[in-house]
Amino acid sequence: MVREAKSKSGFLSKRGGSHRAYKRRWCVFENNALFYYKDKSDKEYAGVVYSEDMANITINEEESKDQKHPFAFEIVTPERTYVFCADSREEMAEWIAVIKSAWDEADAANTAVTLKFATVESFVGTGVRVNGPVAAAALAKLSEGLSSKQKRKDQSGWFADKHVPTAHVLSVMAEHGWELTTSLKTQAMIDDKRLPVNMMVFSQCNAA
C-alpha cells in the first residue's frame, strides 16, 4: 500500500510578521504544507507555508532563551522567517521532525515495494498543476522564482501560476525518480475555465 504523507495538527503560538507578539493558532501540517488558522473551527486558513519554500527548520535559539517561549522553532523561507512556539520540548521536536519529513525522498520504515502515481498538468501559457506524492524538492524546482502568493493547494492538487515547459517537467520528475507512463493533450478545468493542457502521468517504484 502506498504510504500517506506524514501529518500533524495542534495548537502552536505564532509570532507576528510585523511585530513580535505571539498569538495562539491552530496549525495543520498535511500535503507537504503547514496551514495555520486563527481558530480550530475556522474553515479558511489565515496563512500557509509550503514545504518547497522552506530553506531551513530549526530551534530558534534567541527566542528559546526567553522563559515565555522556551520551545520556539523557526521556518526560514526566501520571503520571511516564521517563528512558532510549542507547549513542550517533545512537541517542538515532533513538529520539526514531521515538517522536515516532507523533504524525505524515501521512507526507511517501508519494507514493501510500492508503486506510486502522480499527474502533472501543464496548462498552455497559464500554469502547472501537480497531484500525487511528489517531493517538496521537486515542487520547488517546478515553481522556481515564484512567491507563496503565486502558489496554492486545493482538492484538485498543487498549482503554480507559471507556465512550465513539458521538457522541464520531464527533467525535474526524472531527477526525482519518476518515470513517464503516458501523456496526452486534453482540456481541464481551472478557475472555472476549461483550458488546453498537456497531461502527464508518472509512476515511481520504491523498494526498501
Side-chain angles (χ1 to χ4, degrees):
M1 185 177 66
V2 178
R3 72 181 179 93
E4 295 182 357
K6 292 181 180 179
S7 61
K8 181 175 174 60
S9 61
F11 281 105
L12 291 170
S13 296
K14 176 185 171 294
R15 194 177 74 184
S18 57
H19 52 81
R20 299 181 67 86
Y22 279 82
K23 292 185 178 180
R24 198 77 165 161
R25 294 289 182 255
W26 176 253
C27 299
V28 179
F29 184 80
E30 61 182 1
N31 298 324
N32 289 348
L34 177 63
F35 301 89
Y36 53 91
Y37 301 79
K38 291 183 178 180
D39 189 80
K40 185 178 180 179
S41 60
D42 289 350
K43 301 298 182 182
E44 296 292 330
Y45 56 81
V48 58
V49 189
Y50 295 108
S51 295
E52 63 269 17
D53 292 335
M54 298 177 186
N56 193 26
I57 308 156
T58 186
I59 296 173
N60 186 300
E61 298 289 350
E62 181 181 353
E63 290 291 322
S64 294
K65 293 177 182 177
D66 184 352
Q67 293 185 354
K68 293 182 180 179
H69 310 104
F71 311 116
F73 64 96
E74 64 183 24
I75 301 173
V76 180
T77 75
E79 295 179 345
R80 60 176 284 195
T81 296
Y82 296 83
V83 179
F84 296 89
C85 184
D87 291 336
S88 67
R89 190 173 304 280
E90 292 74 17
E91 273 290 296
M92 177 185 68
E94 187 173 339
W95 274 105
I96 292 175
V98 168
I99 295 171
K100 279 187 173 182
S101 72
W103 287 91
D104 294 341
E105 295 283 355
D107 183 9
N110 187 3
T111 58
V113 174
T114 60
L115 186 62
K116 301 178 182 180
F117 292 94
T119 60
V120 179
E121 298 168 281
S122 180
F123 291 87
V124 178
T126 304
V128 60
R129 182 164 62 196
V130 180
N131 203 320
V134 177
L139 299 180
K141 289 193 174 183
L142 291 176
S143 59
E144 193 172 5
L146 297 185
S147 69
S148 60
K149 294 182 179 179
Q150 293 172 290
K151 296 178 286 186
R152 61 184 182 273
K153 286 185 179 181
D154 56 26
Q155 65 273 16
S156 300
W158 173 92
F159 185 84
D161 294 319
K162 173 185 178 181
H163 173 64
V164 181
T166 299
H168 186 58
V169 172
L170 294 174
S171 175
V172 170
M173 295 297 281
E175 182 180 344
H176 290 271
W178 292 92
E179 181 178 350
L180 181 67
T181 301
T182 185
S183 66
L184 68 155
K185 295 186 181 297
T186 181
Q187 292 186 334
M189 295 294 293
I190 184 168
D191 295 333
D192 298 324
K193 296 179 181 178
R194 187 171 294 276
L195 300 174
V197 63
N198 183 18
M199 177 179 286
M200 293 159 275
V201 179
F202 295 87
S203 63
Q204 184 184 74
C205 185
N206 287 344

